[in-house]
Amino acid sequence: MVRKKRQSMGRQKIAMKRIENEEARQVCFSKRRTGLFKKATELSILCGAEIGIVVFSPARKPFSFGHPSLDYITKRFLDGGGNGNGVEVVGPYCGMFVEGQKLLQLNQEHAGLTEKLEEARRMRAEREAKVAAQQGCSGLPCDVEVHEMGIEELESFQKRLEILCMDTKVATGSVPPRFGYGGGYLGGYNGLYLTQAPIGGFYGHDQDINMGFRFGDR
Amino acid sequence: MVRKKRQSMGRQKIAMKRIENEEARQVCFSKRRTGLFKKATELSILCGAEIGIVVFSPARKPFSFGHPSLDYITKRFLDGGGNGNGVEVVGPYCGMFVEGQKLLQLNQEHAGLTEKLEEARRMRAEREAKVAAQQGCSGLPCDVEVHEMGIEELESFQKRLEILCMDTKVATGSVPPRFGYGGGYLGGYNGLYLTQAPIGGFYGHDQDINMGFRFGDR
DNA sequence: CCAACTATATATAAACA
DNA sequence: TTGTTTATATATAGTTG
């Protein structure tokens, strides 16, 4: 009787060490990343846990996962870290989220500086006007350019932040991708989202595209 | 022949929805969190991936995982996101790490603004001096210091950042906890670190410190 | 909470589309 | 790089201590 050849050897045990074969490593990465995110999804659903994950592929491509969303988790920290203490960082053991605190501080600092800059500009304008009225010596080479540039940069920066914010929401699924970006929703269920998160620069090298949310795109 | 009663019903299938029983939910969380971190560990070893995870338990207690460390991963972004492009955010889809990009931008913007502020103040002082002297508008020495406040803020800010940075290192295990905090290193191997990450001043409540696991154990 | 233990649900290595 | 199939390695629910 002819025994049919096995169609598969089934799952083989593998040594817990770096997979040297590059292709195999990449395949393994894809599958296990999917598995990891699925586990995270289940954990958050079953236990009501809130989770944020960021993974860099062997090819240095970033992927992220968040529930309810990374945005939400970050906000939770910015709003006090769930410890009822929104000001003093008693035990700043938030790991990755320490960044949230830094961000908050920088934002405040930024706002403060912006205000001061504006004020300084106003003052200077006044003086300038005064001087001009008295002596008509306008057109000093250095100051005009510097300050106009400041405003432009400020505005473009503001704009960039807003876009970033919206994109983050889209990517993390806290907002439906109705902006023609291609969307950030990759799967998941029950309000959970899996997102690929290329940083920019070179993610167009190969076609890791199916997730295609870009920005004005490659 | 007496058949022994089964010692266990074995693993039962459970519905993918929130576990209502609080105790069961907490137990499930512990087991699955361990499993999730183990999966992350395997992924990083097998594929050379870099991973950062933050999880909030249903009891709102934070746990984190990082390879090589959250600190390292964060730095990678702050230093340019590993894309060799530290300035323009082409595709700002970094999820959690968008924060990193924002931080970078804000930092740069902060530096730029500070400079411009100084500049603006210097200019204003110049005008003022000119007005006071009511003389020509050619260059002249302007040693008026009006920007002390700016400098003070800058220094305190700098200090706060440094403290945060050090604490982050302690928390992620990249530096031994010699500061009496109670320690952030909880186990791990091969350069992998498992860290519990309580946020506030309450991380000493109980000793759920034993989330370690080994390969080959089961 | 943690450590077994058992029986079963799941994840996944290999090979191929 | 994703999807499918097969056979097997692992993760875990339920329970006990």
Side-chain angles (χ1 to χ4, degrees):
Chain A
M1 207 176 162
V2 183
R3 176 166 298 179
K4 254 188 156 177
K5 199 168 76 177
R6 278 182 181 288
Q7 296 187 254
S8 159
M9 315 193 298
R11 176 177 179 173
Q12 300 295 291
K13 186 182 178 92
I14 61 175
M16 192 44 58
K17 67 193 182 86
R18 178 190 173 80
I19 296 173
E20 295 304 336
N21 180 288
E22 190 174 329
E23 190 179 324
R25 182 165 11 102
Q26 184 56 52
V27 171
C28 177
F29 174 78
S30 289
K31 292 188 173 180
R32 278 175 174 268
R33 169 174 49 74
T34 299
L36 184 71
F37 284 4
K38 183 174 180 185
K39 288 288 187 186
T41 297
E42 296 181 344
L43 180 56
S44 65
I45 292 178
L46 292 172
C47 309
E50 296 173 341
I51 309 176
I53 303 180
V54 172
V55 179
F56 286 95
S57 75
R60 309 185 76 75
K61 192 187 298 185
F63 296 83
S64 68
F65 169 92
H67 171 74
S69 74
L70 292 175
D71 192 46
Y72 168 86
I73 294 181
T74 299
K75 275 190 172 47
R76 197 174 136 182
F77 271 90
L78 295 181
D79 290 341
N83 61 1
N85 184 341
V87 181
E88 192 60 60
V89 179
V90 179
Y93 294 99
C94 303
M96 183 173 292
F97 288 102
V98 163
E99 298 307 322
Q101 294 284 352
K102 284 185 183 174
L103 219 210
L104 216 209
Q105 291 191 322
L106 277 172
N107 262 321
Q108 289 174 166
E109 206 70 24
H110 182 273
L113 283 171
T114 300
E115 241 178 273
K116 284 176 183 152
L117 213 209
E118 290 297 329
E119 188 185 329
R121 287 189 69 259
R122 220 171 298 125
M123 294 291 248
R124 183 194 53 94
E126 268 178 48
R127 294 299 106 148
E128 188 109 340
K130 226 182 262 181
V131 172
Q134 293 180 328
Q135 308 229 342
C137 74
S138 51
L140 282 185
C142 53
D143 57 4
V144 176
E145 186 179 20
V146 169
H147 298 305
E148 287 187 351
M149 199 166 167
I151 289 218
E152 279 181 18
E153 284 188 11
L154 229 50
E155 287 179 348
S156 91
F157 177 64
Q158 192 77 357
K159 213 162 290 178
R160 269 181 291 157
L161 269 191
E162 281 170 17
I163 292 174
L164 264 176
C165 189
M166 178 54 75
D167 285 337
T168 304
K169 286 175 182 171
V170 172
T172 56
S174 63
V175 149
R178 296 177 183 168
F179 307 92
Y181 292 160
Y185 182 81
L186 298 178
Y189 46 96
N190 278 7
L192 296 171
Y193 297 86
L194 310 182
T195 65
Q196 183 195 36
I199 313 177
F202 302 101
Y203 57 93
H205 270 179
D206 43 23
Q207 36 257 78
D208 45 295
I209 327 296
N210 332 335
M211 351 220 76
F213 29 53
R214 357 264 147 129
F215 198 67
D217 191 4
R218 47 112 107 270
Chain B
M1 203 174 167
V2 183
R3 176 164 299 179
K4 259 187 152 180
K5 198 167 83 179
R6 281 180 180 287
Q7 296 188 251
S8 158
M9 317 194 297
R11 176 175 179 173
Q12 301 295 295
K13 186 184 179 93
I14 60 176
M16 191 46 58
K17 67 192 182 85
R18 178 190 174 80
I19 297 173
E20 294 304 336
N21 180 289
E22 189 174 329
E23 191 180 322
R25 183 165 9 103
Q26 183 56 51
V27 170
C28 176
F29 174 78
S30 289
K31 288 186 174 182
R32 280 174 174 266
R33 170 173 48 74
T34 299
L36 182 71
F37 284 4
K38 183 174 181 183
K39 288 290 189 186
T41 298
E42 295 181 344
L43 180 56
S44 66
I45 291 179
L46 292 172
C47 309
E50 296 174 340
I51 309 176
I53 303 180
V54 173
V55 179
F56 286 95
S57 75
R60 310 185 74 76
K61 190 186 297 185
F63 296 84
S64 69
F65 169 93
H67 170 74
S69 72
L70 291 175
D71 190 48
Y72 169 85
I73 294 181
T74 299
K75 275 193 171 46
R76 211 177 122 176
F77 270 88
L78 295 180
D79 290 342
N83 59 2
N85 183 342
V87 181
E88 192 60 60
V89 180
V90 180
Y93 295 100
C94 302
M96 180 174 291
F97 284 104
V98 161
E99 299 306 324
Q101 291 286 351
K102 282 186 184 174
L103 220 208
L104 216 210
Q105 291 194 322
L106 279 171
N107 260 324
Q108 291 174 166
E109 207 67 26
H110 182 274
L113 281 172
T114 301
E115 237 177 277
K116 292 188 172 67
L117 215 210
E118 299 282 332
E119 178 90 32
R121 284 182 162 149
R122 199 167 11 248
M123 280 318 199
R124 195 190 65 191
E126 225 173 287
R127 291 301 104 142
E128 225 140 72
K130 263 183 221 168
V131 171
Q134 297 207 324
Q135 270 311 309
C137 52
S138 310
L140 80 155
C142 49
D143 295 312
V144 191
E145 348 196 89
V146 197
H147 35 274
E148 295 221 338
M149 190 157 186
I151 290 189
E152 272 181 22
E153 281 188 14
L154 228 51
E155 285 180 347
S156 93
F157 178 64
Q158 189 78 354
K159 213 162 286 177
R160 271 178 291 158
L161 272 189
E162 280 171 17
I163 292 174
L164 270 174
C165 188
M166 175 54 75
D167 286 337
T168 303
K169 286 178 182 169
V170 172
T172 55
S174 62
V175 150
R178 298 178 181 168
F179 307 90
Y181 291 160
Y185 182 79
L186 300 177
Y189 48 94
N190 278 7
L192 297 172
Y193 296 88
L194 309 182
T195 65
Q196 183 193 37
I199 317 175
F202 304 102
Y203 55 91
H205 270 178
D206 49 25
Q207 53 267 59
D208 52 320
I209 313 297
N210 200 348
M211 64 181 67
F213 54 83
R214 286 142 284 162
F215 284 124
D217 91 0
R218 76 195 241 75

